[in-house]
Amino acid sequence: MKLLRFGPKGNEKPGLIDAKGVLRDLSAHLPDLTSAHLGRAALDKLASIDPAQLPAVEGPVRMAPIVADIGKMICVGLNYSDHAAESGMAVPAEPVLFTKATSAIIGCNDAVVLPRDSVKSDWEVELGVVIGTRARYVDEASALDYVAGYCVVNDLSEREYQLERGGQWDKGKGCDTFGPVGPWLVTADEVPDPQNLDMWLEVNGKRYQNGNTRTMVFTVAHLVSYISRFMTLNPGDVISTGTPPGVGLGQKPDPVYLRAGDRMALGIAGLGQQNQTVHAWNPELIDG
């Protein structure tokens, strides 16, 4: 299944995409798509619904964040060796973890707003892993059993804040609007091999990132198991698993960073596409 939330901020509804690509309204069956609907039994119940019996949604709509109550977003740094090289950093011996504030999370096509005085905001297409069952000290062999599904993430990053403002990556990763997710959550049964997904990102029509999840340093299963040793992963939590090379920081001879008016397009095979326009600092675009 392809599950999603749609509609204006504060009035989102749950939906799904049927086999013909039509958006269907699920709100007669559940009030919203929350963490409570991501376990195996709940997903099986949703899968038993005949999409043809659900109302079709006409016209363009806002695609909201895929789960209403994402509890935490754990990100993995330097998880592609070639991205580590372009960043001038060593491939880590263990996963590098940081968090992205939930206030950064937005719908996949919502406005990306640059922080005030930002000069080095950057892009990163990443595979998002959505937890469906509470995971604590799980072994790698069974780790994927705890995954509800997958999504596209743009792990936007303000590099000056991240690398030049006294350490701790979080301050450059958690800026408002710096966590677009979606357009939908593709359930795990439709992604038999999360380690073989093509991914890409363009800015203003220029392709900067081309990659595949098979080149991850640490696999999805390893990451779920590893992170569960340090914190409980709850339903609705999202793991953003790292980015392939081609970020703005790594461009030669000079880095390229986002400016107001830029347009980003990014996607992962089978998981959909995001499209965002970059705006100068404007709190009304964040809160509206």
Side-chain angles (χ1 to χ4, degrees):
M1 290 182 293
K2 294 180 174 68
L3 300 171
L4 66 138
R5 301 170 64 245
F6 66 94
K9 293 180 181 179
N11 291 286
E12 293 91 345
K13 295 181 178 181
L16 61 77
I17 303 295
D18 69 17
K20 296 182 179 179
V22 176
L23 171 57
R24 301 280 182 169
D25 188 343
L26 267 173
S27 56
H29 295 268
L30 65 163
D32 204 347
L33 184 61
T34 72
S35 58
H37 304 107
L38 300 180
R40 187 64 54 83
L43 290 177
D44 287 346
K45 185 176 180 180
L46 291 176
S48 70
I49 299 171
D50 180 4
Q53 302 304 310
L54 300 173
V57 179
E58 303 295 337
V61 294
R62 171 180 175 260
M63 308 297 274
I66 52 175
V67 179
D69 56 341
I70 294 174
K72 56 181 173 286
M73 195 166 184
I74 307 301
C75 302
V76 184
L78 307 175
N79 197 30
Y80 290 73
S81 58
D82 33 13
H83 170 56
E86 73 174 352
S87 301
M89 299 180 185
V91 175
E94 295 188 33
V96 174
L97 305 181
F98 59 92
T99 59
K100 186 176 283 284
T102 53
S103 54
I105 297 171
I106 59 172
C108 66
N109 302 330
D110 288 348
V112 167
V113 180
L114 297 175
R116 186 183 296 174
D117 302 323
S118 167
V119 293
K120 295 182 179 180
S121 288
D122 203 348
W123 56 83
E124 294 187 9
V125 59
E126 304 200 2
L127 173 66
V129 179
V130 184
I131 300 299
T133 303
R134 188 175 72 170
R136 182 182 291 155
Y137 291 104
V138 302
D139 58 75
E140 187 169 337
S142 63
L144 296 185
D145 295 340
Y146 295 81
V147 174
Y150 302 90
C151 66
V152 182
V153 174
N154 190 352
D155 176 21
L156 288 145
S157 312
E158 215 300 343
R159 302 299 189 189
E160 182 189 26
Y161 299 178
Q162 176 191 358
L163 302 173
E164 302 172 32
R165 299 291 294 272
Q168 297 300 322
W169 288 9
D170 291 22
K171 68 181 71 171
K173 295 285 191 170
C175 306
D176 293 341
T177 76
F178 271 29
V181 295
W184 40 69
L185 183 161
V186 180
T187 51
D189 59 293
E190 294 195 7
V191 187
D193 184 4
Q195 301 307 147
N196 188 24
L197 300 173
D198 290 329
M199 54 206 308
W200 58 274
L201 183 144
E202 297 176 351
V203 180
N204 299 326
K206 179 178 178 178
R207 181 69 59 96
Y208 282 94
Q209 289 189 277
N210 268 314
N212 188 288
T213 56
R214 65 174 167 265
T215 66
M216 282 183 181
V217 177
F218 304 106
T219 66
V220 171
H222 182 87
L223 292 173
V224 172
S225 175
Y226 181 86
I227 295 170
S228 78
R229 303 176 205 170
F230 299 95
M231 66 194 77
T232 298
L233 292 170
N234 291 311
D237 289 349
V238 176
I239 301 171
S240 196
T241 58
T243 197
V247 300
L249 173 68
Q251 298 304 305
K252 306 299 183 187
D254 299 304
V256 176
Y257 295 116
L258 293 167
R259 297 291 181 263
D262 287 346
R263 295 179 179 272
M264 291 178 285
L266 58 148
I268 298 178
L271 304 185
Q273 178 174 326
Q274 301 185 359
N275 297 277
Q276 297 120 20
T277 300
V278 180
H279 298 262
W281 171 251
N282 182 346
E284 292 182 2
L285 290 175
I286 300 169
D287 301 329

